[in-house]
Amino acid sequence: MQFKDFLHSLSASMRAGYAVENAFYEAYQELAELYGKNAFIPKELARMLHQMKLNRPAEEVLEEFGKRSGLEDAKNFAGIFKAAKRSSGNLSTIMSNTAETIGKKLETQREIQVLVQEKRYEQKVMNLMPLAIILYLRLGNGEFMEILYTSLTGKVLMTICLLIYLVAYCMAEKIVNIKM
C-alpha cells in the first residue's frame, strides 16, 4: 500500500511540473507525514534521495530499491521507469497508470483474502456441525443413539461415518488452504 501511495504521490508531483528528483523529494515529504519517517517507504525514499544527491541516476536507484525491497511491483516499476525515461515517454502518465494497475491488483488480492477467510470460517463451522449434532442427540435422548454404539451394525455404520467425516475434513482443509 505504501508503494502504491508513493507512485500516486510521485505521479502527482510530476504532473505538477516537478523534475524527477524533486518529485521524489515531494513524495518523501508527503509519505513521511502520512506514515512517519520510520515507515518502510519513507526510509527507502530517504535512502534513494541520498543516492540521487550523489549524482546517481533515478533509474539505477529505483532498480536497487526494487531488488532490496523484494516487491515484484517495485521491480516492475523500475523497469517501466527506465524504459520510459530512455524513450522520453510521458513519465507522469506512465506512473499514474502503473499506480492504478497496482492499486487494482492490491484490491483484488484483498478481496480474494476476504473470500478465502470467509470460506475458512464456513469450513470450521461445517467441521463442527456433525460433532455438535451427535453431542446434542446424546445429551437430549441417549437411548436413541445407544443402538449406534452397542450393536455391530451401528458400530460399522458409525465407523464408516467417522471415515467419511475425516475424508471430508481433509478435503476441506486442502480446498481452503490457498497460498497467495
Side-chain angles (χ1 to χ4, degrees), residues 10-21:
L10 192 62
S11 67
S13 296
M14 292 195 66
R15 267 188 261 125
Y18 287 99
V20 173
E21 289 76 14

Side-chain angles (χ1 to χ4, degrees), residues 20 24 58-59 62 77-86 91 95:
V20 173
F24 271 82
E59 308 89 81
L62 272 171
F77 176 70
I80 291 167
F81 184 85
K82 189 174 186 176
K85 192 129 185 202
R86 269 195 219 143
L91 282 174
M95 281 188 269

Side-chain angles (χ1 to χ4, degrees), residues 47-96:
R47 188 175 185 172
M48 287 190 271
L49 285 168
H50 178 70
Q51 293 294 315
M52 283 188 247
K53 283 181 184 174
L54 298 174
N55 290 328
R56 297 219 31 232
E59 308 89 81
E60 283 181 23
V61 172
L62 272 171
E63 278 183 317
E64 286 178 7
F65 164 69
K67 291 174 186 172
R68 208 173 37 250
S69 70
L71 296 172
E72 181 185 334
D73 293 329
K75 291 175 190 172
N76 293 341
F77 176 70
I80 291 167
F81 184 85
K82 189 174 186 176
K85 192 129 185 202
R86 269 195 219 143
S87 66
S88 301
N90 187 349
L91 282 174
S92 64
T93 305
I94 291 169
M95 281 188 269
S96 192

Side-chain angles (χ1 to χ4, degrees), residues 2 36-45 65 68-69 71:
Q2 288 182 26
K37 289 186 179 187
N38 291 325
F40 175 70
I41 287 291
K43 274 185 178 178
E44 287 295 328
L45 278 171
F65 164 69
R68 208 173 37 250
S69 70
L71 296 172

Side-chain angles (χ1 to χ4, degrees), residues 5 11 21 44 48 64 66 74 79 89 112 123 126 145 149 157-158:
D5 291 342
S11 67
E21 289 76 14
E44 287 295 328
M48 287 190 271
E64 286 178 7
I112 290 170
Q123 182 247 342
M126 293 304 291
M145 295 291 289
Y149 297 104
L157 183 64
M158 288 307 282

